[in-house]
Structures are given as structure tokens and as C-alpha cells.
Amino acid sequence: MGLVKACDLSDLEDGEIFKAEIEGQPPLAIYLVDDEVFATSDTCTHGEASLADDGFIEDGQVVCSWHDGAFDIRSGEACRLPCMDPLRIFPIEVRDGEVFVEL
Ligand code: FES
């Protein structure tokens, strides 16, 4: 699909998770951590929790508050049970204050 705009950089706050809704795609979670932007799939692989709605960032991981599982934001790897399957990750490009994801 190529590069698709996910949000504006101004939508993001450091340490917060933004839910990007792109038509025809499952939602994405966009993270701003130490001035770097990352994107993963938004739905926890353990259940149906939205990480943007019900998760938080801690030490480079996104923690799902439903059952306290966690994923590495950079790699998508599941790093705490009960999460076992990784999140999808998406390359990011920030251009002129806009955040694009490679789908
Ligand atoms: S739904 Fe996310 S840890 Fe269970």
C-alpha cells in the first residue's frame, strides 16, 4: 500500500499513545518516545484490548492494562505474559510535521 498519513506530529505527546484510524485498515498505535515515533498494530494479541485506549508506555514497552501483558514498542516482540504473539510494527516517516506509516 505504501506510505499513508497516520496523523500530525502535533497529535502526539511524549509518553502517550495515539490511535490512528486509517480507512480500510485495522487501527494503529502511534507512540512518541524521546522524540522518536513508532507504530504498531493497536489491538493486543492476547485479547481485543486497544493499546491506545487501554495501554500505557513503560520503559520502552507498551503495557496492556487488561491483563498486564507487554510488548517492545520498537520490535513488537511480546515481552511479558500473558502476551505471546508479537504486535505488527510499521516503518515511520516524519515529513513536514506529518507522520506517515508504511503499510
Ligand atoms: S488483552 Fe492485552 S494482556 Fe490480555
Side-chain angles (χ1 to χ4, degrees):
M1 192 170 177
L3 279 181
V4 177
K5 183 178 174 183
C7 61
D8 292 318
L9 197 53
S10 60
D11 292 328
L12 307 178
E13 285 184 55
D14 199 63
E16 301 289 327
I17 311 169
F18 180 84
K19 188 184 217 170
E21 312 263 16
I22 297 171
E23 195 175 327
Q25 300 293 321
L28 302 179
I30 313 288
Y31 312 85
L32 180 63
V33 179
D34 296 334
D35 292 330
E36 269 195 273
V37 183
F38 304 93
T40 70
S41 43
D42 178 60
T43 305
C44 179
T45 61
H46 176 249
E48 291 300 312
S50 159
L51 295 171
D53 293 341
D54 296 316
F56 57 91
I57 297 172
E58 187 178 79
D59 298 330
Q61 299 178 355
V62 54
V63 179
C64 176
S65 64
W66 280 22
H67 310 103
D68 208 32
F71 304 89
D72 185 293
I73 288 170
R74 289 166 172 79
S75 68
E77 180 187 342
C79 35
R80 190 158 77 216
L81 293 172
C83 300
M84 297 175 68
D85 296 324
L87 297 172
R88 283 189 66 191
I89 56 170
F90 301 87
I92 286 281
E93 195 170 311
V94 179
R95 214 192 292 152
D96 297 330
E98 298 181 313
V99 177
F100 296 86
V101 291
E102 176 84 42
L103 295 177

